[in-house]
Amino acid sequence: MRSAYEEEVLSPALQVMTKANPSLLSSGKFYLAILPTGLVVGCGGWSPEQPGKETVEQRLGHVRHFAVHPDWTRRGIGRSVFTVCVRAACAAGLMTFECNSSLNAEKFYRALGFVRIREIDIELKPSLMLRGVLMRRNIYEDLVS
Ligand SMILES: CC(C)(COP(=O)(O)OP(=O)(O)OC[C@H]1O[C@@H](n2cnc3c(N)ncnc32)[C@H](O)[C@@H]1OP(=O)(O)O)[C@@H](O)C(=O)NCCC(=O)NCCS
């Protein structure tokens, strides 16, 4: 994420972003990419709830906490985790994914078929904002194709 943010912004942001989210982890909608050696090299998931809120909009899901081990990027791990998310979300009746992308991850989400909606300030906690991009992608087409 250093490519997109200054150290003074990134350092406090990562303290929040790297904290495990127990409800997401136990939701059954969060996935790990694990090597045969047991090393966890990637993670990501989705939720019907908007990040940080209880709000649920019918047929809309939210992509959550995607990350790949820095030594294992650009090998298709993020894309693979996303494919699993799409299948599960389609099976649950969702039609659209939204994502609060970090600035550095916009190209990744674009490669996955997301379009940029607008720049946003992501509230990581009260008085701690991170500049990001709201992105959106239809997923029902994956089901019919
Ligand atoms: C964003 C992230 C999850 C991508 O994971 P990844 O496993 O490297 O992604 P993939 O290898 O599946 O990439 C799929 C495609 O996305 C695009 N892409 C991924 N990373 C990219 C980058 N840094 N620059 C440009 N395009 C990129 C490419 O088109 C890539 O396909 P290609 O390698 O065949 O060209 C990973 O870089 C990461 O953990 N970043 C730090 C944490 C973060 O920002 N997470 C997102 C929070 S919203």
Side-chain angles (χ1 to χ4, degrees):
M1 298 182 73
R2 283 204 191 103
S3 61
Y5 299 99
E6 300 292 337
E7 183 61 30
E8 57 267 31
V9 173
L10 198 51
S11 183
L14 283 177
Q15 282 180 29
V16 179
M17 292 170 73
T18 54
K19 268 205 187 118
N21 177 332
S23 62
L24 189 60
L25 290 180
S26 60
S27 68
K29 300 176 180 67
F30 197 77
Y31 310 96
L32 300 180
I34 306 175
L35 297 185
T37 58
L39 181 70
V40 176
V41 290
C43 65
W46 61 281
S47 67
E49 300 83 19
Q50 237 185 304
K53 299 186 181 147
E54 299 293 312
T55 326
V56 174
E57 202 177 310
Q58 233 191 354
R59 301 201 176 275
L60 175 67
H62 302 271
V63 170
R64 309 288 302 275
H65 290 224
F66 264 67
V68 167
H69 189 300
D71 296 342
W72 290 85
T73 53
R74 299 303 290 267
R75 299 178 201 217
I77 293 171
R79 189 191 286 275
S80 302
V81 175
F82 179 72
T83 301
V84 175
C85 291
V86 169
R87 286 202 192 116
C90 282
L94 270 59
M95 296 183 79
T96 309
F97 264 159
E98 278 190 358
C99 173
N100 290 346
S101 171
S102 50
L103 297 175
N104 56 289
E106 182 177 356
K107 286 183 182 155
F108 166 68
Y109 287 113
R110 272 200 196 168
L112 299 184
F114 282 79
V115 293
R116 161 191 270 255
I117 304 301
R118 62 176 179 278
E119 280 215 11
I120 52 171
D121 285 318
I122 303 167
E123 187 177 19
L124 298 177
K125 65 177 189 183
S127 81
L128 182 58
M129 300 295 203
L130 187 72
R131 200 72 182 150
V133 183
L134 175 65
M135 304 191 74
R136 190 174 295 147
R137 180 193 195 278
N138 289 335
I139 58 171
Y140 60 87
E141 286 154 3
D142 295 60
L143 197 61
V144 291
S145 63

